[in-house]
Amino acid sequence: MSLEQQLSALELSILPTWVWDHERCRFPWANSKAVALWRASDRAELLSRDLSDLSASTRTRLENYLRAILDGQTVEEDWTLYPRGVPATMTLHGQGVRLDDGRTGILFQALPRQAGIDDSMVRGVEAVRHTSVLISLVDGEGHILFHNPAALRATHSATRLDALFPDPGISAAILRVLTGEHVPFSAEIPVGPPDDERLHLVEARATTDPVTGGRAVLVQQLDLTAQRKAEVEVEAQRRLIDELNRSLALVEQQRQQIVTLSAPILEVWEGTLAVPLIGLIDAARGDELAERLLPAISQRTAAKVILDLTGAEALDLEGAAALERLSRAVTLLGARPVLTGVRPEVARALIDAGIHAEGFVILRSLRQGLEACRAPAPAPSRARARP
């Protein structure tokens, strides 16, 4: 017997009635009342609709309905449908029906919303159904009375509390909220198999089953796995940044030591300082040397400063200008700059930069510079007395 023949008597039902094919996410059959409920232009238009964009919570509820029906059960639950975007709250009764290809579909009959149901209750029910928080209601014996769709997906429709938390200590602690103290339970608990373990914040508090009036426990689970993983990654990045900062500080310290060693300030004898310059001379290095050399000139009352360029690299315009600034700063402090170790390419760089020898002495070698600085200054000439 075809589906149309099976359900022909329901065509005249005053209740909207339709068949849901969960595998294909379509309506293979609907009566005229269902066509009107779903705001379809006609039956063909309703049966042609593709409803595969179901929300995760709706898909989970329907999958659990189908499992229950395959076990020979019927289902009954309040729903808020959204035909053409218009909300309609009703109670759906579902049972199994054989489709034309032999698979099992769900035959739904819709009862209108009962009078007196508060709007806030309807909204609250929808919120619980669509939240990502796992919500379960458990009786005093540990039997699951209710799962919201998020809990159904995560727990695979577990029927007992100890199936959610295999550790008997945790299940017992949750049920203890029903004792006289009424102290809520809260803990972060690993859940799931070892190869897919997740961390849940589990909270449980005593409440009343609104159906039987008996004592029950409301259990809520919030998945903290992503949050804790992010926190671990942030902490690892913080440690890495700290390590990088320490490394950079060490590198800077070593750089300063290398700079100092590449231009040491030597007091060759009283009143004379010698600074052998090694490597590249640029503006930054000239400024760094000035910060060390100028105070040393004042502290040691130096009258002569030998700047030895024997180990310096070939100067460019920037290096030559830096050397000139340093030499002029030495002169302003009352000391005489002496350049030694000036090779031909260094001399050309000084000339190209427009630097001339006025104000300081230029000698070929450090030895000549030392000899020149050590030689006593010539005595001032005296005018001859007239006879």
Side-chain angles (χ1 to χ4, degrees):
M1 183 181 298
S2 68
L3 184 64
E4 187 73 30
Q5 293 171 332
Q6 293 181 67
L7 305 178
S8 59
L10 293 175
E11 174 58 38
L12 301 178
S13 173
I14 62 173
L15 298 178
T17 306
W18 64 90
V19 174
W20 173 249
D21 183 343
H22 189 61
E23 183 178 333
R24 297 177 179 174
C25 294
R26 292 181 180 274
F27 299 127
W29 183 89
N31 68 2
S32 56
K33 292 291 185 180
V35 172
L37 170 67
W38 286 99
R39 298 176 177 267
S41 57
D42 53 36
R43 191 191 311 270
E45 188 272 317
L46 178 61
L47 301 189
S48 67
R49 290 183 185 178
D50 180 2
L51 302 175
S52 56
D53 59 343
L54 297 173
S55 68
S57 61
T58 298
R59 187 177 297 276
T60 299
R61 292 172 72 187
L62 291 171
E63 287 171 354
N64 280 277
Y65 286 175
L66 187 57
R67 279 195 291 268
I69 287 170
L70 291 174
D71 287 339
Q73 305 174 36
T74 59
V75 294
E76 177 181 339
E77 194 171 16
D78 290 339
W79 278 71
T80 299
L81 307 177
Y82 298 89
R84 299 292 188 189
V86 179
T89 302
M90 59 197 64
T91 300
L92 295 187
H93 295 263
Q95 64 186 69
V97 63
R98 184 181 179 83
L99 303 177
D100 288 339
D101 59 4
R103 293 179 297 113
T104 299
I106 306 175
L107 175 66
F108 281 117
Q109 292 182 289
L111 275 67
R113 171 181 170 180
Q114 298 178 7
I117 297 180
D118 187 76
D119 288 343
S120 62
M121 181 178 295
V122 175
R123 289 171 178 146
V125 169
E126 284 300 294
V128 168
R129 285 173 177 162
H130 291 280
T131 182
S132 60
V133 178
L134 283 61
I135 300 176
S136 305
L137 190 66
V138 185
D139 67 14
E141 302 299 322
H143 298 100
I144 304 295
L145 304 175
F146 167 80
H147 279 315
N148 74 337
L152 287 172
R153 287 194 301 273
T155 64
H156 307 292
S157 306
T159 59
R160 288 192 55 83
L161 184 63
D162 51 18
L164 303 183
F165 310 106
D167 184 345
I170 295 175
S171 300
I174 291 175
L175 292 178
R176 274 199 296 272
V177 303
L178 294 176
T179 60
E181 292 83 1
H182 300 289
V183 178
F185 171 88
S186 180
E188 294 183 6
I189 300 173
V191 299
D195 59 341
D196 188 28
E197 187 175 80
R198 309 190 69 79
L199 182 67
H200 284 188
L201 172 61
V202 180
E203 296 183 345
R205 63 189 67 247
T207 186
T208 301
D209 179 6
V211 176
T212 65
R215 300 293 289 157
V217 182
L218 178 66
V219 180
Q220 302 178 81
Q221 301 181 63
L222 180 63
D223 193 338
L224 301 179
T225 308
Q227 177 182 334
R228 291 293 180 265
K229 181 178 179 181
E231 291 173 353
V232 170
E233 291 177 351
V234 167
E235 177 61 22
Q237 291 175 356
R238 185 193 65 78
R239 290 196 298 269
L240 178 60
I241 291 172
D242 289 345
E243 183 64 28
L244 287 174
N245 287 335
R246 286 193 293 271
S247 298
L248 289 174
L250 178 60
V251 169
E252 177 61 20
Q253 180 183 2
Q254 293 172 341
R255 188 191 73 81
Q256 292 291 345
Q257 293 172 347
I258 292 172
V259 167
T260 301
L261 291 173
S262 64
I265 300 173
L266 307 175
E267 187 173 16
V268 293
W269 50 74
E270 185 176 357
T272 301
L273 301 179
V275 183
L277 299 172
I278 301 172
L280 177 67
I281 299 175
D282 55 16
R285 185 152 179 230
D287 293 341
E288 186 278 332
L289 179 56
E291 290 180 1
R292 295 187 295 115
L293 178 59
L294 301 183
I297 294 174
S298 298
Q299 292 167 4
R300 303 176 190 180
T301 61
K304 300 173 183 177
V305 177
I306 301 173
L307 300 175
D308 181 54
L309 304 177
T310 304
E313 295 182 6
L315 294 179
D316 56 12
L317 291 179
E318 182 183 355
L323 189 60
E324 182 193 29
R325 287 195 301 272
L326 180 61
S327 299
R328 294 193 183 281
V330 170
T331 303
L332 289 174
L333 288 179
R336 184 78 181 271
V338 177
L339 300 185
T340 65
V342 178
R343 303 187 304 279
E345 59 269 24
V346 173
R348 282 196 299 271
L350 294 174
I351 294 173
D352 292 342
I355 299 171
H356 304 287
E358 294 84 356
F360 49 87
V361 177
I362 300 179
L363 298 172
R364 181 175 298 175
S365 68
L366 177 60
R367 187 186 68 180
Q368 292 176 341
L370 292 171
E371 292 174 349
C373 291
R374 190 157 191 172
S381 62
R382 296 181 180 181
R384 292 182 180 179
R386 293 179 180 180

